[in-house]
Amino acid sequence: RETVDGVTVTVGSAMVGEKNIYILLRVDGVEISPKHHYSFEETQLFLKEAAEQGASGAGWSCDHIGMDRDGSALLLFRYSYSTRGPAPETKPPLQMTLTLSNFAQDLHGNRYQRLAEGEWKFDLLLTRGQIDVKKLPDTQVMGIDYSKKGWKKETPILLTNMVLTNTDLSFQYDRRGGDVNLEIRLQRICVVLKNGQEISAGSGGETGLDSGEWYCTYTWWIPVPLEEVVAVRIGDVVIPVK
């Protein structure tokens, strides 16, 4: 935990996936209300492993998810990145530095208000836990064909090497020389739980492989227990999970 001018930010817990990280943050020392949303004005992160693997498509967010019983703000920090293919089998602890600056209310709204100035910096060593994995069958979905000038036509795409984990979904597909692309909103890629709840992807990235295919990874908004997942939905295509 780090305290600046009476405001304390605590790293409550962390979960590490193949190429993604979830960190639960708690903020004490400022008065908050359930009527508003809270976050930091600036977030900076350096992950040694991602830099060494030549990561691309990295993205992160820090979202307010509510209050605890003590009235502290709870925020979920999510980070994901893409590399050229699956993560290496040898997985040492992750070394990362997370820097958070200026805590604010309704950061992107018309009721914006800076509540605390300062910088909270954390040097973290995150150990990887057990990652639940399920392989899914090759699945055909619809993509967009741009092979002709001014032409935007739907075309079938075969997704292969599909792997579902409790943090993300990854697969490959042939872009046919760069003419074909899977264009789909993050909200249209999700897992379906036994209780009917759907949890969508919060971020996604893709990188080109030497074979000409693209390797894609979509990270869930929050980690999901695989034993509760009954299906994966990509657009209108539903893939049962057994």
Side-chain angles (χ1 to χ4, degrees), residues 16 54 146:
V16 180
Y146 292 99

Side-chain angles (χ1 to χ4, degrees), residues 68-217:
D68 65 11
R69 294 179 180 178
D70 298 323
S72 303
L74 298 177
L75 292 88
L76 183 63
F77 176 85
R78 296 181 298 111
Y79 174 81
S80 61
Y81 62 97
S82 300
T83 57
R84 292 174 63 84
E89 294 184 6
T90 302
K91 301 169 184 176
L94 297 178
Q95 299 179 42
M96 65 177 292
T97 299
L98 176 63
T99 305
L100 310 166
S101 302
N102 300 333
F103 187 67
Q105 169 187 294
D106 296 326
L107 187 60
H108 303 294
N110 55 14
R111 293 184 290 182
Y112 161 79
Q113 181 181 358
R114 181 180 292 177
L115 301 181
E117 292 188 6
E119 181 179 277
W120 294 262
K121 186 175 182 179
F122 301 89
D123 291 314
L124 305 172
L125 185 64
L126 303 180
T127 302
R128 299 176 189 268
Q130 179 64 38
I131 300 174
D132 296 330
V133 175
K134 288 192 176 183
K135 293 186 178 181
L136 304 180
D138 293 353
T139 300
Q140 182 175 289
V141 299
M142 298 305 293
I144 303 297
D145 184 351
Y146 292 99
S147 59
K148 294 183 180 180
K149 186 176 181 180
W151 188 19
K152 184 178 180 181
K153 181 181 179 181
E154 279 198 327
T155 186
I157 292 177
L158 183 64
L159 308 182
T160 63
N161 294 329
M162 300 190 72
V163 177
L164 171 67
T165 78
N166 52 340
T167 60
D168 59 51
L169 173 71
S170 62
F171 52 80
Q172 296 173 209
Y173 73 92
D174 185 0
R175 289 201 64 200
R176 304 175 203 169
D179 291 331
V180 172
N181 194 31
L182 175 65
E183 292 186 5
I184 188 167
R185 292 183 293 112
L186 293 176
Q187 294 84 354
R188 298 272 286 161
I189 299 179
C190 66
V191 287
V192 183
L193 306 185
K194 291 179 180 178
N195 62 7
Q197 180 184 7
E198 295 187 354
I199 299 174
S200 66
S203 61
E206 51 189 18
T207 54
L209 303 177
D210 292 337
S211 64
E213 294 189 321
W214 275 45
Y215 177 82
C216 307
T217 302

Side-chain angles (χ1 to χ4, degrees), residues 47 60 161:
L47 179 61
W60 58 83
N161 294 329

